[in-house]
Amino acid sequence: MTEPSYLTAVRESYDTVAADYVERIPPPAAMDPLSRAMLAAFAELVRTSGPGPVADLGCGPGRVTAHLAGLGVPAFGVDLSPKMIALARHAYPNLRFTVGSMTALETGDAELGGILAWYSTHHTPPQWLPAVFAEFHRTLAPGGCLLWGDYVGEERLQPTRGYGHPVSYESYLLPLDRLVGLLERAGLVVTARLEQEPGGRANRPHACLLARKPGKP
């Protein structure tokens, strides 16, 4: 099966920017307080339900994966970019990181206690989101949790440079209600939402959604 062109663009772009990305993106300790609180709440929910490990999808250099591990969550990371995964493995050799796509996870049905999709779905064209969210539903155990966080709006961005380098990826910002609808059509129940206006390092509205796969862990 031929890989969708957007995945190739994302992989090649993040391989190109990986080293400078690490230098320019702040660690979790420098996130805004509400985002850190959502990560902490997600970690507590996963620890309470306890049905399996947590996949940090689009983990980049692994900082948020390590942050979750520090909160007592058995987390591992997945990213399209081999260079990002190499950086993550070097920085956090005690954690598991694998190259992969959230469109086709190398994870069995109902294996995960949680999924973190932290600013990692905006490069996905809207027509591919149902397939991505279906993978979330397939791999989550009954009672498993999803924390999604990203920019929201109604805009298609086509940058030519990112983090000081040429890039070929695009970004698709969708209204939050549309994202909620897509998750619910995939069989996930949205239990909480947080919307934030631009401020600090975030120059666009951004949001977090907590969702759960129905059923008992």
Side-chain angles (χ1 to χ4, degrees), residues 139-156:
T139 55
L140 277 173
C145 297
L146 164 71
L147 176 59
W148 174 94
D150 218 320
Y151 297 106
V152 293
E154 202 155 6
E155 190 174 5
R156 179 179 180 181

Side-chain angles (χ1 to χ4, degrees), residues 20-33 35-36 63 119 151 163 196-206:
D20 285 293
Y21 180 98
V22 173
E23 295 297 323
R24 298 186 184 204
I25 297 298
M31 287 181 187
D32 66 275
S35 293
R36 290 200 310 272
R63 287 173 169 171
Y119 292 81
Y151 297 106
Y163 311 101
Q196 298 189 69
E197 296 302 319
R201 299 179 63 91
N203 58 4
R204 287 183 170 83
H206 51 123

Side-chain angles (χ1 to χ4, degrees), residues 49-65:
S49 57
V54 170
D56 178 7
L57 303 182
C59 66
R63 287 173 169 171
V64 181
T65 319

Side-chain angles (χ1 to χ4, degrees), residues 75-158:
F76 68 96
V78 179
D79 201 277
L80 265 176
S81 164
K83 289 193 176 180
M84 284 290 195
I85 290 297
L87 290 171
R89 288 171 175 167
H90 178 76
Y92 309 104
N94 58 319
L95 298 177
R96 177 162 63 99
F97 295 96
T98 60
V99 176
S101 169
M102 64 179 73
T103 61
L105 296 169
E106 295 182 2
T107 302
D109 295 352
E111 282 190 4
L112 300 175
I115 289 175
L116 176 67
W118 195 248
Y119 292 81
S120 58
T121 64
H122 61 272
H123 294 309
T124 305
Q127 66 268 27
W128 278 94
L129 283 174
V132 168
F133 293 163
E135 273 294 272
F136 291 1
H137 182 273
R138 179 186 71 80
T139 55
L140 277 173
C145 297
L146 164 71
L147 176 59
W148 174 94
D150 218 320
Y151 297 106
V152 293
E154 202 155 6
E155 190 174 5
R156 179 179 180 181
L157 305 174
Q158 298 173 290

